[in-house]
Amino acid sequence: MWSWVLHRITGVAIYFFLLVHVLDTAMIRVSPDAYDAVMSTYKNPIMGLGETALVIAIMFHAFNGLRIILIDFWSKGAKYQRLMFWVVIGLWIVGTAGFAPIHLYNVFTEPH
Amino acid sequence: MSAIIESPRQPQQRASKGRVNWEKYGWLYMRASGVLLIILIFGHLFVNLVQGEGIKAIDFAFVAGKYATPFWQIWDVVMLWLAMIHGSNGMRTIVNDYASNPLVRRILLGALFVAAVVLIVLGTLVVFTFDPCSTLIPADQALSFCPAP
Ligand code: HEM
Ligand code: HEM
């Protein structure tokens, strides 16, 4: 139940990000300065926290999506769905622990 | 509102012959695209956010370097199509679940469809018409490897 709610919320969040993201990438067809200007907004600390949250949301959606797929197609999927939920949570924590420090470091330190 | 509960022995309504079962293909598409998107999106995030200086390194020259190879052009366009259709189809399910007013529902579904078509066309054109040395780029912003105009 909660996995379904989270799957839905993360799916919607990623969808709206993607709408904006295609538009910001389109700035490369406008001019180098226009593109660098949008990208500089992605580099400020508040956006950096948002990007961290976005990637954490994608990781949940992706791992839980795989779990849904296994439940539907793997003959033992339904039997192990509860166990797989905890595997999803585990992968999610490991993925977050791997990603967040690297990204936050990049966001909060000066480039060298 | 009174609900009509059909007799459990009622034979299941068959999809009439010759009709395409779109919902079934949509359901399958969500799963097939999901598996591919894991690879495409995780690869995208790794190269853009984790490798090197991550987000700090992204600028016009970074993208020009990636789009100089067909590999990343195709990667991005496949990711664009799969993710836009997956996301829009997922949003369609959600709209169908919550929008009870038929007019509101029609408007929202129409908006999802238009947004998907516009962004897929725009994103595809951006990738394939991108020219880092376009003569439209002001000289003071041009990349160093571009021939002088
Ligand atoms: C904060 C995280 C992200 C950053 C910094 C980022 C950065 C970029 C950059 C620099 C490009 C230009 C070309 C390239 O490098 O390949 C790009 C293009 C693209 N990104 Fe991302 N991205 C992020 C997250 C995502 C996510 C989560 C998705 C999928 C849902 C995605 C989908 C795309 C697509 C489809 C394109 C091609 C757009 C087009 O065809 O015009 N990105 N991204
Ligand atoms: C990273 C790889 C991804 C995987 C493995 C994945 C997997 C799935 C699966 C299996 C479903 C359930 C479909 C169903 O119940 O019929 C789903 C739903 C959904 N996905 Fe994804 N997805 C991924 C990426 C994305 C992206 C990039 C977006 C947004 C652009 C997105 C947005 C949605 C939405 C809005 C739903 C509908 C949720 C609902 O009906 O509750 N997903 N996804």
Side-chain angles (χ1 to χ4, degrees), chain A residues 10 13-15 17-18 49-59, chain B residues 45:
Chain A
T10 52
I14 305 163
Y15 172 79
F17 166 77
L18 185 60
L49 293 176
E51 290 143 19
T52 313
L54 173 76
V55 174
I56 292 173
I58 290 175
M59 285 197 281
Chain B
L45 293 174

Side-chain angles (χ1 to χ4, degrees), chain A residues 3-21:
Chain A
S3 69
W4 175 80
V5 173
L6 261 183
H7 196 82
R8 193 157 259 205
I9 294 172
T10 52
V12 174
I14 305 163
Y15 172 79
F16 282 108
F17 166 77
L18 185 60
L19 297 187
V20 177
H21 186 46

Side-chain angles (χ1 to χ4, degrees), chain A residues 7-8 11 14-15 61-62 65, chain B residues 30-31 34 37-38 41 83 86-87 90:
Chain A
H7 196 82
R8 193 157 259 205
I14 305 163
Y15 172 79
H61 190 94
Chain B
M30 291 307 275
R31 282 143 184 83
L37 280 169
I38 292 199
I41 294 179
H86 176 108

Side-chain angles (χ1 to χ4, degrees), chain B residues 108-122:
Chain B
L108 290 176
L109 293 182
L112 286 174
F113 184 78
V114 172
V117 171
V118 168
L119 290 176
I120 287 176
V121 170
L122 173 71

Side-chain angles (χ1 to χ4, degrees), chain B residues 13-148:
Chain B
Q13 191 122 35
R14 284 264 185 85
S16 49
K17 274 217 180 101
R19 277 273 193 80
V20 179
N21 187 349
W22 289 108
E23 282 304 330
K24 181 176 124 191
Y25 287 111
W27 183 93
L28 263 178
Y29 175 84
M30 291 307 275
R31 282 143 184 83
S33 61
V35 173
L36 294 171
L37 280 169
I38 292 199
I39 302 164
L40 293 168
I41 294 179
F42 281 30
H44 183 68
L45 293 174
F46 185 80
V47 170
N48 288 359
L49 290 181
V50 177
Q51 240 178 21
E53 289 186 350
I55 193 139
K56 283 273 158 74
I58 300 179
D59 58 8
F60 183 81
F62 174 91
V63 181
K66 279 184 86 175
Y67 285 166
T69 59
F71 180 84
W72 288 115
Q73 289 184 321
I74 293 176
W75 184 293
D76 276 16
V77 168
V78 173
M79 181 165 67
L80 170 75
W81 283 67
L82 289 178
M84 268 320 294
I85 297 173
H86 176 108
S88 305
N89 190 237
M91 292 295 288
R92 185 183 64 92
T93 306
I94 298 177
V95 167
N96 284 339
D97 279 358
Y98 299 119
S100 43
N101 179 320
L103 179 66
V104 172
R105 182 173 155 268
R106 290 264 300 267
I107 293 173
L108 290 176
L109 293 182
L112 286 174
F113 184 78
V114 172
V117 171
V118 168
L119 290 176
I120 287 176
V121 170
L122 173 71
T124 308
L125 284 176
V126 162
V127 172
F128 287 125
T129 66
F130 175 63
D131 171 8
C133 297
S134 160
T135 49
L136 296 174
I137 292 173
D140 59 326
Q141 297 174 34
L143 295 178
S144 56
F145 63 78
C146 292

